Amino acid sequence: MKLVVYDVKGMGCASCATRIQNTIQHMAGVEKAQLNYATEILSLSYDESKLDKAAIAESVKKLGYELISQNTDGASQPEALRQATFAIGGMTCASCSARVEKALRAVPGVERASVNLATEKADVSFKPDQVRLFEIKDAVVKAGYTPLDESGNDARDEHQNRKDRETRSLKRSFILALVFTIPLLFLAMAPMAGLPFPAFIEPMANPLAYALTVFAFTLPAVFAGRRFYTRGFSSLVRLHPNMDSLIAVGTSAAIVFSLASTVQIWLGNPAAVGQLYFETAGVIITLILLGKMLEALSKGRAGMAIKKLLRLAPRTAILVKDGVEKTIPVGELEPGDLVRVRPGERIPVDGAVVEGYTAVDESMLTGESIPVEKSEGSPVYGGSLNKNGAVLFRAEKVGRDTVLARIVKLVEDAQGEKAPIARLADVVSGWFVPAVIGIALLTFLAWLLAGQGLAFALTSFTAVLVIACPCALGLATPVAVMVGTGRGAELGILFKSGPALEIVSRIDAVVFDKTGTVTDGRPSITEVIAADGFTEEEVIALAAAAEKNSEHPLAEAVLAEAAKRAEAGKRGLTPAAPAGFTALPGRGIRARLDGREILLGNARLMTEAGIDFGPLAARADKLAEHGRTVLHLATAGRPAGLVACADTIKPEARATVAELKQLGIESIMLTGDGRRAARAVAEEAGIDRVEAEVLPGDKAAVVKKLQSEGRKVIMVGDGINDAPALAQADAGIAVGSGTDVAVEAADVVLTRNNLLDIPVAVALSRRTMRIIRQNLFWAFCYNVLGIPIAAGLLTIFGGPQLNPIFAAAAMSLSSVSVVTNALRLKRFKKKSSIANE
């Protein structure tokens, strides 16, 4: 068998990976094919006598993807890809983002490009030996849009300032348009409604004066919406029309037709005054500006989670050097610097306290409002609030390395990556606007041929153009992902990508690593049983004395128990130093104290020493059945007692399993412990299924076995040996106290070491996906139903013709409704949301 490793190019979602893997797996001669969508790496084992590399590559190419060969040691032949993210100005709808994405992907050397309409940013992976970043940005310019330079430490501030300026500009434009549209509407409607009207511009008496007056009021409204014309016609000239093109063409048609009617009036045809549609153009512009303004405000609220996190980081810090305090920008701090933080100030970077005592509000990280006491040696985190004492701490992690910066980066990455559910909307958006223009032209020609007249045909033509809304399609998914991941960050749940958010919503099994995840990860004393002639305190004192020089984890538990009882005022519990100490591997220890021999260990040790524990032996067996590790204590050749230890389950473990069951999810415990001990822990936690005696390297295989049963699996772990299983699972969850390796391999990170956040993560992801499906459903339904109605479908059955003004109002509200629906996720509550799922 030959083992090869490939990079896979062209995958857009997890389903792509599944399709490729399934295709290769069914090829003759293939023993094993494993494709990791996250890393885009395919590991393949096959029989060279039955299959060659060319056939494999060709089969993948037919699917629309490309294989790039790697060395078998995993070192890729091509130069490493570079990642770049930059903002793009000028995008107004999903057709714009689709156009930019297509232009970026067409650049030689660009491996992957994703453009997010909600965040207005492009995320590009490219080969630096084939293309430079400025060349990629040039492609954006050629597509008709503007790459924005937001580099450096103030990038996020600049991005936010630009968005704020855009919102203010929309407000000003809307107010200007509204000021002139209100009298414009009066001029258009008052004669028909019989309202008092100035005689010198009365339509029937002075049609030319009326036409010129209405035109004069229309011009400021059109000027207020000039952005639609500059962008719209520019895109149209490039043969890549967008939403602005629809508005520009529709309103321009109404204005040109009205100007033609005005010329007819001037030439002596007063009846043409009934074919003026200036107010239609003015009102459409005003309504769409209103919609765009509301949309911008709503999108600002959608990104509020990032803003809240960024506000936590102070801009300055008090540096203490040679005893002198100096206020400097936080960006100038270096690891090792001493920093002073006074009461009421936020801690600027991560570090450790070297002087002082205080309590710190770390709710921004943990969600817990109770302040955490800090003294010398205690860790502190940037963004947390110092409550009541001045402290001096040494900076350890600064800039992008702080916990807060990493959280912000994770949330930004998740918000910028598209969920797989958005792929249909992306495909539709790319063809949407050209299709709408085609439908509008067909509608115009059809009504002319049907004999309805130019005015009727023009009205339907304009209505089709302005009712169509690619924005609703483009915003349906990314805005919901923005709000959902942002709300998760506020709750201490970090989804690392849009696909992770979607996958978690579909899981039906959660695999827990036992040690450190279901349990506390450190043993503690659960029972102390004294033999005749001894007390519990004597048993603990003797055991602690024997263990004083031991480094075994059980020794720590015994010594901790002795210390706890000593603090409670129990005498004789300060461990004495043994005169001799011998470790007996696999059995226990032997020590001497005050001339007496002390034996502490398992039953085997006592049997070898010829010590009969009598009735205590049955008690020891009973404790072992309940998952306890039992230490037998003997002194001077006779039994002294039993000390039972256990890695106790976390307080929230049982409630977590119950809430997962409420969500229809099975809990499975994975451990290397013996079956009897594992079963005892599982029963205590309420877990029904246990996979025991699993070696660390085999954890991923157990997850794979569950997946072969058709299960969608989440793996929860916190250690280095959990990383392969986390990567193998459909989604991996790492607790915040876990190792960096586990956190990197996981798809979801819990910043609090609290298992109860797992069902919350599932409930939040399900709620987010429900909102996305609602948004996509209504966006598709709106366009599928709205466009035919605008085209005049109702008139065929005797109904009314849709006025373009109402079409524009519907179009504006459709985008706003999609964003508003997504904002409901901000009200997501932990307990109530799980109960309602």
Side-chain angles (χ1 to χ4, degrees):
M1 288 292 171
K2 182 175 179 62
L3 176 65
V4 292
V5 181
Y6 291 100
D7 284 331
V8 183
K9 180 180 176 182
M11 290 193 299
C13 63
S15 63
C16 299
T18 302
R19 186 181 179 196
I20 296 169
Q21 182 172 302
N22 290 341
T23 299
I24 296 175
Q25 189 69 63
H26 289 92
M27 295 179 71
V30 173
E31 179 187 33
K32 180 182 177 182
Q34 181 66 44
L35 176 54
N36 188 317
Y37 170 59
T39 60
E40 298 183 346
I41 292 177
L42 169 67
S43 299
L44 180 62
S45 178
Y46 69 98
D47 187 341
E48 288 185 282
S49 65
K50 298 180 181 179
L51 190 64
D52 60 24
K53 285 186 177 182
I56 299 170
E58 184 61 27
S59 65
V60 174
K61 187 176 182 181
K62 288 179 180 178
L63 295 176
Y65 309 96
E66 181 183 347
L67 294 183
I68 301 174
S69 180
Q70 291 189 355
N71 294 328
T72 53
D73 61 0
S76 179
Q77 298 287 2
E79 184 177 344
L81 297 179
R82 182 183 166 192
Q83 192 88 3
T85 301
F86 53 90
I88 297 176
M91 295 193 300
T92 59
C93 68
S95 293
C96 298
S97 58
R99 166 60 186 156
V100 176
E101 195 169 286
K102 184 178 179 181
L104 289 172
R105 288 176 176 172
V107 177
V110 170
E111 294 290 297
R112 188 183 70 86
S114 178
V115 179
N116 190 312
L117 177 62
T119 60
E120 297 182 0
K121 289 185 178 181
D123 184 32
V124 184
S125 298
F126 62 97
K127 296 178 179 178
D129 60 330
Q130 294 184 21
V131 65
R132 301 290 297 274
L133 183 58
F134 73 84
E135 294 175 304
I136 295 173
K137 291 184 176 182
D138 284 344
V140 175
V141 174
K142 290 176 182 177
Y145 303 91
T146 308
L148 301 173
D149 184 12
E150 295 179 353
S151 58
N153 294 329
D154 297 326
R156 294 189 184 99
D157 290 339
E158 175 55 32
H159 180 71
Q160 186 57 48
N161 291 337
R162 183 176 58 80
K163 297 299 295 178
D164 290 341
R165 288 194 298 270
E166 176 69 12
T167 302
R168 288 194 296 270
S169 175
L170 283 168
K171 283 182 181 178
R172 289 193 297 269
S173 297
F174 168 68
I175 291 171
L176 173 62
L178 184 65
V179 166
F180 287 91
T181 298
I182 291 175
L184 182 61
L185 268 177
F186 175 80
L187 290 172
M189 306 302 294
M192 292 184 287
L195 297 175
F197 200 80
F200 71 94
I201 53 171
E202 208 282 325
M204 294 298 103
N206 296 293
L208 184 59
Y210 172 81
L212 293 175
T213 302
V214 173
F215 178 57
F217 276 95
T218 302
L219 284 177
V222 171
F223 175 77
R226 62 191 179 279
R227 68 184 68 208
F228 302 128
Y229 297 95
T230 55
R231 295 174 179 175
F233 285 121
S234 175
S235 298
L236 199 59
V237 169
R238 290 187 172 91
L239 300 180
H240 298 294
N242 56 16
M243 188 203 75
D244 291 337
S245 304
L246 300 180
I247 299 168
V249 172
T251 54
S252 296
I255 292 171
V256 169
F257 184 79
S258 299
L259 286 173
S261 298
T262 302
V263 172
Q264 289 185 41
I265 295 171
W266 179 64
L267 294 175
N269 181 14
V273 76
Q275 295 183 343
L276 296 176
Y277 293 94
F278 287 123
E279 80 285 352
T280 298
V283 174
I284 287 173
I285 292 294
T286 303
L287 288 173
I288 292 175
L289 282 171
L290 173 63
K292 283 292 181 184
M293 181 186 71
L294 294 175
E295 181 185 311
L297 292 170
S298 299
K299 284 164 66 177
R301 289 180 59 199
M304 192 58 69
I306 290 287
K307 296 176 189 175
K308 286 181 179 179
L309 289 172
L310 290 174
R311 289 196 201 109
L312 295 175
R315 297 302 181 94
T316 59
I318 300 174
L319 174 68
V320 180
K321 190 172 183 179
D322 299 328
V324 178
E325 295 184 357
K326 181 181 180 182
T327 300
I328 65 171
V330 169
E332 295 181 11
L333 284 177
E334 297 289 343
D337 286 344
L338 293 177
V339 183
R340 178 86 64 192
V341 182
R342 299 188 177 94
E345 296 178 344
R346 290 199 177 272
I347 293 169
V349 294
D350 296 359
V353 176
V354 296
E355 180 185 299
Y357 176 84
T358 188
V360 176
D361 179 359
E362 295 181 349
S363 57
M364 42 74 70
L365 291 176
T366 65
E368 298 292 344
S369 57
I370 300 175
V372 181
E373 294 183 358
K374 302 289 183 181
S375 57
E376 185 177 342
S378 299
V380 290
Y381 303 100
S384 55
L385 179 63
N386 184 29
K387 299 289 285 186
N388 53 17
V391 292
L392 184 70
F393 77 94
R394 177 170 278 104
E396 295 178 346
K397 293 182 178 180
V398 301
R400 297 179 181 178
D401 295 328
T402 66
V403 171
L404 178 61
R406 290 168 64 189
I407 289 175
V408 171
K409 183 67 167 62
L410 280 174
V411 176
E412 285 184 330
D413 289 347
Q415 293 182 348
E417 189 168 353
K418 297 177 181 178
I421 196 174
R423 56 185 175 268
L424 177 60
D426 287 344
V427 172
V428 172
S429 298
W431 296 94
F432 186 86
V433 174
V436 169
I437 292 176
I439 293 170
L441 289 171
L442 287 174
T443 298
F444 181 76
L445 295 173
W447 286 124
L448 283 181
L449 293 174
Q452 284 290 347
L454 184 61
F456 187 96
L458 180 66
T459 298
S460 295
F461 171 80
T462 305
V464 168
L465 290 176
V466 299
I467 201 172
C469 189
C471 291
L473 286 173
L475 294 171
T477 299
V479 173
V481 170
M482 280 180 68
V483 183
T485 53
R487 181 58 181 149
E490 292 173 349
L491 298 174
I493 302 164
L494 303 179
F495 293 94
K496 294 171 73 174
S497 68
L501 186 69
E502 181 172 341
I503 291 169
V504 171
S505 71
R506 300 201 305 265
I507 64 100
D508 55 15
V510 174
V511 176
F512 292 95
D513 175 61
K514 181 182 81 70
T515 305
T517 302
V518 175
T519 65
D520 285 322
R522 56 184 183 275
S524 59
I525 304 302
T526 56
E527 290 92 7
V528 178
I529 301 170
D532 291 341
F534 293 88
T535 65
E536 286 188 18
E537 282 68 32
E538 287 176 326
V539 171
I540 286 294
L542 287 171
E547 295 279 23
K548 188 166 186 180
N549 294 327
S550 174
E551 297 180 354
H552 195 279
L554 293 181
E556 295 180 11
V558 172
L559 292 170
E561 180 68 15
K564 184 173 72 173
R565 295 191 179 214
E567 288 178 7
K570 304 286 179 68
R571 291 183 176 183
L573 287 175
T574 301
F581 175 86
T582 304
L584 306 172
R587 292 167 292 167
I589 58 174
R590 177 186 290 116
R592 296 195 66 82
L593 183 67
D594 298 332
R596 294 180 297 170
E597 183 181 68
I598 300 174
L599 293 177
L600 183 67
N602 54 27
R604 179 185 169 189
L605 176 63
M606 300 304 147
T607 301
E608 290 177 355
I611 301 173
D612 182 9
F613 266 66
L616 288 182
R619 296 285 299 275
D621 290 340
K622 191 76 172 176
L623 289 169
E625 288 177 5
H626 287 85
R628 305 293 192 260
T629 299
V630 182
L631 298 175
H632 297 66
L633 176 69
T635 180
R638 67 189 184 101
L642 303 173
V643 179
C645 305
D647 185 1
T648 55
I649 71 167
K650 292 182 177 178
E652 72 275 11
R654 192 170 186 87
T656 299
V657 173
E659 289 187 2
L660 288 170
K661 188 174 292 184
Q662 189 176 348
L663 293 169
I665 298 170
E666 181 185 11
S667 295
I668 301 157
M669 193 177 77
L670 191 62
T671 178
D673 290 353
R675 296 189 182 280
R676 190 166 62 171
R679 173 53 60 187
V681 173
E683 287 177 357
E684 192 175 354
I687 297 174
D688 297 325
R689 183 170 174 178
V690 179
E691 297 286 343
E693 300 176 2
V694 179
L695 296 175
D698 295 335
K699 290 184 178 182
V702 174
V703 173
K704 190 172 182 180
K705 174 187 170 187
L706 290 168
Q707 291 170 324
S708 69
E709 298 171 5
R711 312 298 297 274
K712 294 293 183 182
V713 183
I714 278 180
M715 174 69 194
V716 184
D718 69 340
I720 291 175
N721 59 10
D722 296 325
L726 289 167
Q728 172 64 42
D730 295 281
I733 294 183
V735 293
S737 61
T739 64
D740 288 341
V741 175
V743 170
E744 286 298 321
D747 301 288
V748 183
V749 178
L750 308 181
T751 60
R752 307 189 305 163
N753 191 7
N754 193 326
L755 297 179
L756 282 169
D757 286 340
I758 297 171
V760 175
V762 174
L764 176 58
S765 65
R766 289 182 178 180
R767 184 69 58 85
T768 303
M769 296 312 299
R770 189 183 307 159
I771 292 289
I772 289 174
R773 284 190 288 268
Q774 290 171 358
N775 282 351
L776 289 172
F777 174 80
W778 289 114
F780 276 112
C781 280
Y782 166 82
N783 286 293
V784 169
L785 297 176
I787 292 174
I789 291 173
L793 180 64
L794 297 180
T795 61
I796 298 175
F797 302 99
Q801 184 184 29
L802 183 65
N803 190 304
I805 291 175
F806 295 114
M811 182 270 213
S812 297
L813 290 175
S814 66
S815 295
V816 176
S817 65
V818 163
V819 180
T820 304
N821 190 40
L823 287 173
R824 292 194 297 127
L825 287 166
K826 293 176 71 67
R827 301 198 299 269
F828 178 89
K829 297 286 193 300
K830 289 186 177 182
K831 289 292 183 183
S832 60
S833 297
I834 292 172
N836 292 331
E837 284 301 316

